[in-house]
């Protein structure tokens, strides 16, 4: 009998496992991962940004965890010799509407206790000679890192403290009684006292095994990137982001300096027809059916069809994608957009079409499911894990 069974070897599951084992060296903790390796999905297919917490609703879990997550991530990197760089980020306004939105974002930063510097057009140009805009917000704390390296370092700690990881162990069923919880995989079943599910793109399917997913579904949004040629690796000194549309959950196509020295352009946000499909033509019948027969999807389409069409057009026609970047970096050309691997975001959508912006948890007496862990969940993985530990501890004692 295990004390705790964790499902999912992405950064959220591993952070939780590592912290639980550290806090409770005597407890038997098992992590189930369906793939042969850790972090094959969202955790290793993202922008690698350590977010500072600019955008999030004040008082939300996202705002709280992100602020703490930035500090914790940097401490973790220092302690484990993982390279990171607090290169800072510029949110660039390129039109009168965006200047107005920039003012609102500045106010939000103030509410979230985040110091930012407002730059005039000229000051922006001085700091970033290749970037054009009416002005910008400078967030000095923002950084970059490789989240796969962080996940691997946490996993190493977890295992060296006596934690167990089972690879190729896909959870297919859950049985819960007042005395125990049983995690079924194809090969065998594992008994435990408490189960924690951190299944990313499969969060609704795992929660659904316990009847907890009636009011939401994961809709996959592909994020496609391009990479700039090495000659342009010094084109920017900071991360360059557009001012986002507050109605949308994604941040807009940005120029990201990666920790390996390269610069990526992206990601966009297009509907994915396969949850764990990274090629543009990937399609899965069951995944697509689950999107199309969900009322929340059609309500979402009704509200966001215009921006959805633009995203789709830009995904297929590189010129449109280029247009998004040229708004603030006019010197980039079509030939500069080189292929780069894509990622797929797990975004929870409610039955009425509402996009769930905050982290979402669901519980039974012997389980806790993290049902929505979108960006900045990589940045926030340590405080999310700490929060989950708190709940698990209460349950195991109670
Ligand atoms: C394009 C993109 C850009 C992003 N950029 C950033 C960024 O710059 N900064 C940031 O902070 N965040 C960013 N994010 C968000 C961040 O990457 C994710 O929020 C985070 O990685 C979520 O981690 P996770 O552990 O919940 O999910 P995942 O990494 O997806 O891990 C879930 C794991 O569960 C496993 N699993 C699923 N089902 C089962 C099952 N039945 N049995 C066993 N195992 C199972 C999967 O194989 C997987 O390993 C980005 C995301 C994307 C897609």
């Amino acid at each position: 009998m295990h004390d705790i069974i964790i499902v999912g070897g992405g950064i959220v599951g591993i952070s939780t496992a590592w912290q639980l084992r550290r806090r409770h060296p005597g407890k038997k903790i098992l992590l189930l991962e369906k793939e042969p390796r850790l972090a094959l999905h969202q955790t290793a297919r993202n922008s690698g940004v350590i977010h500072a917490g600019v955008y999030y609703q004040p008082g939300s879990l996202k705002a709280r965890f992100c602020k703490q997550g930035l500090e914790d991530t940097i401490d973790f990197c220092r302690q484990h010799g993982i390279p990171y760089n607090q290169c800072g980020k510029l949110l660039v306004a390129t039109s009168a509407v965006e200047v107005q939105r920039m003012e609102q974002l500045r106010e939000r930063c103030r509410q979230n206790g985040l110091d930012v510097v407002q730059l005039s057009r000229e000051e922006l140009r001085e700091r970033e000679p290749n970037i054009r805009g009416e002005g910008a917000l400078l967030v000095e704390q923002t950084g970059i890192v490789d989240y796969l390296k962080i996940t691997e370092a946490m996993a190493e700690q977890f295992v060296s403290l006596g934690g167990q990881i089972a690879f190729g162990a896909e959870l297919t069923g859950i049985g819960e009684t007042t005395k125990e919880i049983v995690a079924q995989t194809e090969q065998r079943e594992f008994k435990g006292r408490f189960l924690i599910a951190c299944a990313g793109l499969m969060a609704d399917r795992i929660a659904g095994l316990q009847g907890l997913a009636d009011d939401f579904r994961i809709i996959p949004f592909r994020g496609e990137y391009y990479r700039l040629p090495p000659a342009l690796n010094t084109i920017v000194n900071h991360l360059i982001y557009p001012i986002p549309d507050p109605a949308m959950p994604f941040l807009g196509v940005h120029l990201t300096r990666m920790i390996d020295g390269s610069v990526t352009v992206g990601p966009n946000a297009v509907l994915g027809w396969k949850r764990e499909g990274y090629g543009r033509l990937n399609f899965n019948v069951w995944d697509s059916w689950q999107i199309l027969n969900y009322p929340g999807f059609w309500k979402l389409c009704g509200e966001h069809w215009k921006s959805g069409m633009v995203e789709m057009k830009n995904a297929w026609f590189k010129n449109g994608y280029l247009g998004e970047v040229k708004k603030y970096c006019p010197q980039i050309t079509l030939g500069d957009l080189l292929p780069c691997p894509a990622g797929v975001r797990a975004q929870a959508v409610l039955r009425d079409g509402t996009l769930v912006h905050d982290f979402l948890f669901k519980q039974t007496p012997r389980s806790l499911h993290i049902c929505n862990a979108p960006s900045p969940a990589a940045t926030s993985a340590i405080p999310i894990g700490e929060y989950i530990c708190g709940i698990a501890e209460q349950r195991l004692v109670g």
Side-chain angles (χ1 to χ4, degrees):
M1 166 86 94
H2 293 88
D3 289 296
I4 299 174
I5 298 172
I6 295 162
V7 182
I11 194 165
V12 175
I14 290 289
S15 160
T16 306
W18 160 63
Q19 294 185 72
L20 273 168
R21 184 69 207 177
R22 208 171 50 155
R23 287 156 72 142
H24 303 283
K27 296 255 181 268
K28 238 182 129 186
I29 302 171
L30 169 72
L31 185 137
L32 303 177
E33 169 52 56
K34 68 181 167 65
E35 305 288 354
R37 279 186 287 130
L38 295 174
L40 278 182
H41 298 294
Q42 296 177 90
T43 296
R45 291 177 167 271
N46 59 40
S47 303
V49 176
I50 312 172
H51 286 290
V54 170
Y55 312 95
Y56 316 119
Q57 181 70 35
S60 63
L61 289 175
K62 260 194 184 178
R64 202 173 105 200
F65 291 163
C66 186
K67 196 156 188 268
Q68 184 62 43
L70 178 129
E71 282 176 30
D72 292 351
T73 303
I74 287 169
D75 281 353
F76 187 89
C77 289
R78 285 200 185 121
Q79 282 163 24
H80 295 87
I82 296 171
Y84 71 95
N85 180 358
Q86 269 185 293
C87 53
K89 145 177 176 172
L90 283 166
L91 287 136
V92 178
T94 55
S95 65
V97 177
E98 288 186 0
V99 169
Q100 239 175 27
R101 286 181 185 159
M102 181 170 74
E103 290 299 335
Q104 289 157 10
L105 265 187
R106 192 179 180 194
E107 173 55 19
R108 179 153 280 194
C109 289
R110 197 194 56 74
Q111 291 168 350
N112 282 332
L114 187 67
D115 284 333
V116 292
V117 182
Q118 186 151 349
L119 304 182
S120 66
R121 184 199 300 215
E122 292 70 31
E123 287 166 331
L124 168 64
R125 195 123 187 206
E126 261 169 43
R127 287 178 185 258
E128 289 288 359
N130 297 313
I131 298 298
R132 300 285 172 276
E134 300 301 316
L137 286 184
L138 168 63
V139 189
E140 282 169 330
Q141 302 88 326
T142 305
I144 49 175
V145 74
D146 179 346
Y147 284 111
L148 175 59
K149 284 211 166 79
I150 294 188
T151 309
E152 286 171 343
M154 286 175 178
E156 211 178 293
Q157 294 281 309
F158 171 60
V159 172
S160 71
L161 291 168
Q164 249 183 295
I165 302 181
F167 289 104
E170 178 166 2
L171 184 85
T172 52
I174 303 176
E176 181 171 343
T177 65
T178 48
K179 291 209 173 75
E180 63 180 21
I181 188 145
V182 180
Q184 281 141 15
T185 67
E186 292 277 299
Q187 302 83 5
R188 55 171 289 195
E189 57 178 43
F190 300 91
K191 290 186 175 168
R193 295 172 64 206
F194 196 72
L195 180 137
I196 299 166
C198 310
L201 284 152
M202 302 298 168
D204 55 343
R205 291 187 185 160
I206 302 297
L209 296 173
Q210 296 200 278
L212 296 173
D214 290 346
D215 61 345
F216 79 99
R217 186 157 294 173
I218 293 294
I219 303 288
F221 284 94
R222 280 167 51 73
E224 297 167 325
Y225 293 90
Y226 290 99
R227 194 177 295 279
L228 295 183
L232 295 184
N233 279 357
T234 52
I235 191 171
V236 284
N237 304 311
H238 305 79
L239 311 177
I240 308 294
Y241 279 66
I243 301 284
D245 178 344
M248 299 304 295
F250 309 121
L251 305 181
V253 166
H254 38 273
L255 280 177
T256 312
R257 291 178 51 189
M258 304 299 280
I259 198 71
D260 65 5
S262 62
V263 177
T264 60
V265 185
N268 60 358
V270 282
L271 187 66
W273 295 109
K274 183 175 179 189
R275 291 193 183 199
E276 293 173 347
Y278 300 103
R280 189 169 290 167
L281 297 175
N282 282 177
F283 177 81
N284 176 286
V285 177
W286 178 233
D287 291 351
S288 304
W289 169 247
Q290 284 211 312
I291 295 173
L292 294 173
N293 90 342
Y294 183 57
F297 168 71
W298 294 105
K299 289 184 179 140
L300 182 70
C301 288
E303 202 166 319
H304 294 293
W305 66 271
K306 266 194 196 151
S307 52
M309 297 298 279
V310 172
E311 290 284 341
M312 216 149 61
K313 181 189 86 162
N314 291 349
W316 285 99
F317 301 99
K318 224 170 156 184
N319 247 321
Y321 201 108
L322 181 69
E324 295 297 311
V325 195
K326 269 188 170 288
K327 282 183 193 163
Y328 52 82
C329 189
Q331 82 171 72
I332 294 182
T333 65
L334 265 190
D336 292 331
L337 299 183
L338 308 178
C340 184
V344 179
R345 307 172 183 87
Q347 175 62 52
V349 177
L350 303 183
R351 284 191 91 77
D352 67 0
T354 308
L355 290 156
V356 181
H357 290 287
D358 212 353
F359 300 126
L360 175 69
F361 296 89
K362 301 239 173 188
Q363 307 186 33
T364 68
R366 289 198 173 270
S367 72
L368 174 70
H369 295 253
I370 172 149
C371 299
N372 193 48
S375 185
T379 307
S380 316
I382 297 177
I384 296 176
E386 204 177 327
Y387 177 81
I388 297 176
C389 284
I391 296 176
E393 282 158 4
Q394 276 173 11
R395 291 306 178 76
L396 285 174
V397 170

